[in-house]
Amino acid sequence: MKREMDLIRAILLEIENRHDGSGSAVTVEIEGYSHEQITEHLFMLREAGFIEGVDSSHMDGRDIIVLRMTWSGHEFLETVRDPEIWRKTKSVAVVAGGWTAGILSGIAGGLIKAKLQQLGVAS
């Protein structure tokens, strides 16, 4: 399955929105994506260290119990949270011909810094 960064971002936003700090599992549902697509991306996010989760796969298929987003997940999400920054980040990445989470975060961070400079907040 191909990694979809729009889905990765949507999942992280959903986890942040649904996680209440109680220790209960976080249910992730994203309109337009199948359970299988979401589950595979959750495994990718766990492998990347962006979420904590427990593999609950069984004979009927893969599944994961999402516990929480990690510091790294929150850091990545903060750089790509703003829809306009995210759109511009993807545009730059497409021109570059590819991306990783680190590259996307770097591009988004640069765009945020430029926005702050325009506001006269950063030099």
Side-chain angles (χ1 to χ4, degrees):
M1 178 177 296
K2 184 178 176 184
R3 180 178 65 177
E4 294 184 43
M5 295 309 287
D6 284 321
L7 178 54
I8 295 285
R9 179 179 174 270
I11 288 171
L12 292 175
L13 286 165
E14 182 75 358
I15 292 170
E16 180 185 58
N17 185 49
R18 290 181 176 250
H19 185 257
D20 63 6
S22 69
S24 298
V26 180
T27 303
V28 178
E29 296 174 346
I30 309 293
E31 189 175 323
Y33 292 95
S34 69
H35 175 76
E36 292 76 19
Q37 289 172 305
I38 293 168
T39 298
E40 188 59 31
H41 283 74
L42 287 168
F43 274 101
M44 288 182 213
L45 284 164
R46 187 179 77 154
E47 290 167 358
F50 285 8
I51 66 168
E52 288 182 5
V54 177
D55 186 339
S56 63
S57 300
H58 43 78
M59 292 181 68
D60 293 333
R62 287 172 52 100
D63 213 349
I64 187 169
I65 298 168
V66 178
L67 301 174
R68 60 182 286 276
M69 192 180 341
T70 65
W71 183 270
S72 295
H74 281 284
E75 288 290 299
F76 176 76
L77 182 56
E78 284 305 319
T79 62
V80 298
R81 174 183 306 282
D82 180 88
E84 182 64 18
I85 295 290
W86 178 238
R87 186 188 64 72
K88 288 179 181 179
T89 298
K90 291 189 306 179
S91 295
V92 171
V94 167
V95 171
W99 57 70
T100 65
I103 289 171
L104 289 174
S105 187
I107 294 168
L111 291 169
I112 292 168
K113 185 176 180 179
K115 192 173 185 178
L116 289 171
Q117 287 173 338
Q118 287 176 347
L119 296 171
V121 178
S123 55

